[in-house]
Short mmCIF file of all heavy atoms in Angstrom, two decimals:
data_model
loop_
_atom_site.label_atom_id
_atom_site.label_comp_id
_atom_site.label_asym_id
_atom_site.label_seq_id
_atom_site.Cartn_x
_atom_site.Cartn_y
_atom_site.Cartn_z
N SER A 1386 0.83 -1.20 0.00
CA SER A 1386 0.00 0.00 0.00
C SER A 1386 0.86 1.26 0.00
O SER A 1386 0.49 2.26 -0.59
CB SER A 1386 -0.95 0.00 1.19
OG SER A 1386 -0.25 0.13 2.40
N GLU A 1387 2.05 1.20 0.64
CA GLU A 1387 2.96 2.35 0.60
C GLU A 1387 3.45 2.59 -0.82
O GLU A 1387 3.53 3.73 -1.28
CB GLU A 1387 4.15 2.11 1.52
CG GLU A 1387 3.84 2.20 2.99
CD GLU A 1387 5.02 1.82 3.86
OE1 GLU A 1387 6.15 1.72 3.35
OE2 GLU A 1387 4.80 1.62 5.06
N LYS A 1388 3.76 1.52 -1.52
CA LYS A 1388 4.22 1.65 -2.90
C LYS A 1388 3.10 2.20 -3.78
O LYS A 1388 3.34 3.04 -4.65
CB LYS A 1388 4.72 0.31 -3.43
CG LYS A 1388 5.39 0.41 -4.76
CD LYS A 1388 6.04 -0.88 -5.14
CE LYS A 1388 6.77 -0.73 -6.46
NZ LYS A 1388 7.43 -1.95 -6.87
N ASN A 1389 1.86 1.75 -3.56
CA ASN A 1389 0.72 2.24 -4.32
C ASN A 1389 0.51 3.73 -4.07
O ASN A 1389 0.21 4.48 -4.99
CB ASN A 1389 -0.53 1.44 -3.97
CG ASN A 1389 -1.64 1.66 -4.96
OD1 ASN A 1389 -1.42 2.09 -6.08
ND2 ASN A 1389 -2.85 1.37 -4.53
N LYS A 1390 0.67 4.17 -2.83
CA LYS A 1390 0.54 5.59 -2.51
C LYS A 1390 1.62 6.39 -3.21
O LYS A 1390 1.38 7.50 -3.71
CB LYS A 1390 0.63 5.81 -1.00
CG LYS A 1390 -0.60 5.39 -0.25
CD LYS A 1390 -0.43 5.62 1.24
CE LYS A 1390 -1.60 5.06 2.01
NZ LYS A 1390 -1.42 5.22 3.46
N SER A 1391 2.82 5.84 -3.28
CA SER A 1391 3.93 6.53 -3.94
C SER A 1391 3.64 6.69 -5.43
O SER A 1391 3.86 7.76 -6.00
CB SER A 1391 5.22 5.74 -3.73
OG SER A 1391 6.25 6.26 -4.51
N ILE A 1392 3.14 5.65 -6.06
CA ILE A 1392 2.83 5.72 -7.49
C ILE A 1392 1.68 6.69 -7.73
O ILE A 1392 1.70 7.46 -8.69
CB ILE A 1392 2.52 4.31 -8.04
CG1 ILE A 1392 3.80 3.46 -8.04
CG2 ILE A 1392 1.94 4.38 -9.43
CD1 ILE A 1392 3.59 2.02 -8.42
N LYS A 1393 0.69 6.68 -6.84
CA LYS A 1393 -0.44 7.60 -6.97
C LYS A 1393 0.03 9.05 -6.83
O LYS A 1393 -0.40 9.93 -7.58
CB LYS A 1393 -1.50 7.28 -5.92
CG LYS A 1393 -2.77 8.05 -6.09
CD LYS A 1393 -3.81 7.61 -5.08
CE LYS A 1393 -5.11 8.35 -5.23
NZ LYS A 1393 -6.11 7.92 -4.26
N LEU A 1394 0.94 9.30 -5.90
CA LEU A 1394 1.48 10.64 -5.71
C LEU A 1394 2.25 11.09 -6.96
O LEU A 1394 2.14 12.24 -7.39
CB LEU A 1394 2.38 10.67 -4.48
CG LEU A 1394 2.96 12.02 -4.10
CD1 LEU A 1394 1.85 12.97 -3.70
CD2 LEU A 1394 3.94 11.86 -2.95
N LYS A 1395 3.02 10.17 -7.54
CA LYS A 1395 3.76 10.50 -8.77
C LYS A 1395 2.79 10.80 -9.92
O LYS A 1395 3.07 11.68 -10.74
CB LYS A 1395 4.69 9.35 -9.14
CG LYS A 1395 5.87 9.22 -8.21
CD LYS A 1395 6.71 8.03 -8.57
CE LYS A 1395 7.84 7.84 -7.56
NZ LYS A 1395 8.62 6.63 -7.85
N LEU A 1396 1.68 10.07 -9.99
CA LEU A 1396 0.68 10.33 -11.02
C LEU A 1396 0.09 11.73 -10.85
O LEU A 1396 -0.02 12.49 -11.82
CB LEU A 1396 -0.42 9.28 -10.96
CG LEU A 1396 -1.64 9.52 -11.85
CD1 LEU A 1396 -1.24 9.51 -13.32
CD2 LEU A 1396 -2.71 8.49 -11.58
N ILE A 1397 -0.27 12.08 -9.64
CA ILE A 1397 -0.84 13.41 -9.38
C ILE A 1397 0.18 14.50 -9.73
O ILE A 1397 -0.15 15.50 -10.36
CB ILE A 1397 -1.31 13.52 -7.92
CG1 ILE A 1397 -2.52 12.62 -7.71
CG2 ILE A 1397 -1.65 14.96 -7.56
CD1 ILE A 1397 -2.92 12.45 -6.25
N PHE A 1398 1.44 14.29 -9.32
CA PHE A 1398 2.48 15.27 -9.63
C PHE A 1398 2.65 15.42 -11.13
O PHE A 1398 2.76 16.53 -11.65
CB PHE A 1398 3.81 14.85 -8.99
CG PHE A 1398 4.95 15.74 -9.37
CD1 PHE A 1398 5.09 16.98 -8.79
CD2 PHE A 1398 5.86 15.34 -10.33
CE1 PHE A 1398 6.14 17.81 -9.15
CE2 PHE A 1398 6.91 16.15 -10.70
CZ PHE A 1398 7.04 17.40 -10.10
N SER A 1399 2.66 14.30 -11.86
CA SER A 1399 2.84 14.39 -13.31
C SER A 1399 1.69 15.12 -13.98
O SER A 1399 1.90 15.90 -14.91
CB SER A 1399 3.03 12.99 -13.92
OG SER A 1399 1.83 12.26 -13.87
N LEU A 1400 0.46 14.90 -13.50
CA LEU A 1400 -0.69 15.61 -14.06
C LEU A 1400 -0.59 17.12 -13.81
O LEU A 1400 -0.82 17.93 -14.72
CB LEU A 1400 -1.99 15.06 -13.48
CG LEU A 1400 -2.42 13.69 -13.98
CD1 LEU A 1400 -3.57 13.16 -13.13
CD2 LEU A 1400 -2.80 13.75 -15.44
N LEU A 1401 -0.25 17.48 -12.58
CA LEU A 1401 -0.15 18.91 -12.25
C LEU A 1401 1.00 19.58 -13.01
O LEU A 1401 0.83 20.67 -13.57
CB LEU A 1401 0.03 19.09 -10.75
CG LEU A 1401 -1.19 18.74 -9.89
CD1 LEU A 1401 -0.84 18.85 -8.41
CD2 LEU A 1401 -2.35 19.65 -10.22
N ALA A 1402 2.15 18.95 -13.01
CA ALA A 1402 3.31 19.53 -13.69
C ALA A 1402 3.06 19.64 -15.19
O ALA A 1402 3.39 20.65 -15.82
CB ALA A 1402 4.56 18.70 -13.41
N CYS A 1403 2.47 18.62 -15.76
CA CYS A 1403 2.17 18.64 -17.20
C CYS A 1403 1.17 19.75 -17.50
O CYS A 1403 1.31 20.47 -18.49
CB CYS A 1403 1.63 17.28 -17.63
SG CYS A 1403 1.52 17.07 -19.40
N GLY A 1404 0.17 19.91 -16.66
CA GLY A 1404 -0.80 20.98 -16.84
C GLY A 1404 -0.16 22.36 -16.78
O GLY A 1404 -0.47 23.24 -17.60
N LEU A 1405 0.76 22.55 -15.85
CA LEU A 1405 1.45 23.84 -15.74
C LEU A 1405 2.33 24.12 -16.96
O LEU A 1405 2.36 25.24 -17.48
CB LEU A 1405 2.29 23.89 -14.47
CG LEU A 1405 1.50 24.04 -13.17
CD1 LEU A 1405 2.44 23.90 -11.97
CD2 LEU A 1405 0.79 25.38 -13.14
N ILE A 1406 3.04 23.10 -17.42
CA ILE A 1406 3.90 23.29 -18.59
C ILE A 1406 3.07 23.58 -19.84
O ILE A 1406 3.42 24.43 -20.65
CB ILE A 1406 4.82 22.06 -18.79
CG1 ILE A 1406 5.78 21.94 -17.61
CG2 ILE A 1406 5.58 22.15 -20.10
CD1 ILE A 1406 6.56 20.64 -17.58
N ILE A 1407 1.94 22.88 -19.97
CA ILE A 1407 1.05 23.14 -21.11
C ILE A 1407 0.50 24.56 -21.04
O ILE A 1407 0.46 25.27 -22.05
CB ILE A 1407 -0.08 22.09 -21.17
CG1 ILE A 1407 0.48 20.74 -21.59
CG2 ILE A 1407 -1.20 22.54 -22.11
CD1 ILE A 1407 -0.50 19.59 -21.47
N ALA A 1408 0.11 24.99 -19.85
CA ALA A 1408 -0.40 26.36 -19.70
C ALA A 1408 0.68 27.38 -20.06
O ALA A 1408 0.39 28.39 -20.71
CB ALA A 1408 -0.89 26.57 -18.27
N LEU A 1409 1.90 27.11 -19.67
CA LEU A 1409 3.01 28.01 -20.01
C LEU A 1409 3.21 28.05 -21.53
O LEU A 1409 3.40 29.13 -22.10
CB LEU A 1409 4.29 27.55 -19.31
CG LEU A 1409 5.54 28.38 -19.61
CD1 LEU A 1409 5.38 29.79 -19.05
CD2 LEU A 1409 6.76 27.70 -19.03
N CYS A 1410 3.17 26.89 -22.17
CA CYS A 1410 3.33 26.85 -23.64
C CYS A 1410 2.21 27.63 -24.33
O CYS A 1410 2.46 28.38 -25.29
CB CYS A 1410 3.36 25.41 -24.13
SG CYS A 1410 4.87 24.52 -23.74
N VAL A 1411 0.99 27.46 -23.87
CA VAL A 1411 -0.15 28.18 -24.47
C VAL A 1411 0.03 29.69 -24.27
O VAL A 1411 -0.16 30.48 -25.21
CB VAL A 1411 -1.49 27.70 -23.87
CG1 VAL A 1411 -2.64 28.60 -24.28
CG2 VAL A 1411 -1.76 26.26 -24.27
N PHE A 1412 0.42 30.10 -23.07
CA PHE A 1412 0.63 31.53 -22.80
C PHE A 1412 1.71 32.11 -23.69
O PHE A 1412 1.52 33.17 -24.30
CB PHE A 1412 0.99 31.74 -21.33
CG PHE A 1412 1.41 33.14 -21.02
CD1 PHE A 1412 0.48 34.16 -20.95
CD2 PHE A 1412 2.76 33.45 -20.84
CE1 PHE A 1412 0.86 35.47 -20.70
CE2 PHE A 1412 3.15 34.75 -20.58
CZ PHE A 1412 2.20 35.76 -20.51
N ILE A 1413 2.85 31.41 -23.78
CA ILE A 1413 3.96 31.92 -24.61
C ILE A 1413 3.53 31.99 -26.06
O ILE A 1413 3.82 32.97 -26.76
CB ILE A 1413 5.21 31.03 -24.43
CG1 ILE A 1413 5.79 31.22 -23.03
CG2 ILE A 1413 6.27 31.36 -25.48
CD1 ILE A 1413 6.91 30.26 -22.69
#
């Protein structure tokens, strides 16, 4: 369950970071 939480946290981070980078690309 600790490993599953770690993977879930990485998924959330990747979604947020990807969203921010996409927003930056659209703005530029």
Side-chain angles (χ1 to χ4, degrees):
S1386 67
E1387 287 174 13
K1388 188 172 183 179
N1389 194 20
K1390 286 179 186 177
S1391 171
I1392 291 174
K1393 188 176 181 180
L1394 183 64
K1395 289 177 184 177
L1396 172 63
I1397 291 169
F1398 175 77
S1399 69
L1400 287 169
L1401 291 175
C1403 191
L1405 287 173
I1406 295 170
I1407 289 171
L1409 178 66
C1410 287
V1411 170
F1412 171 74
I1413 290 172

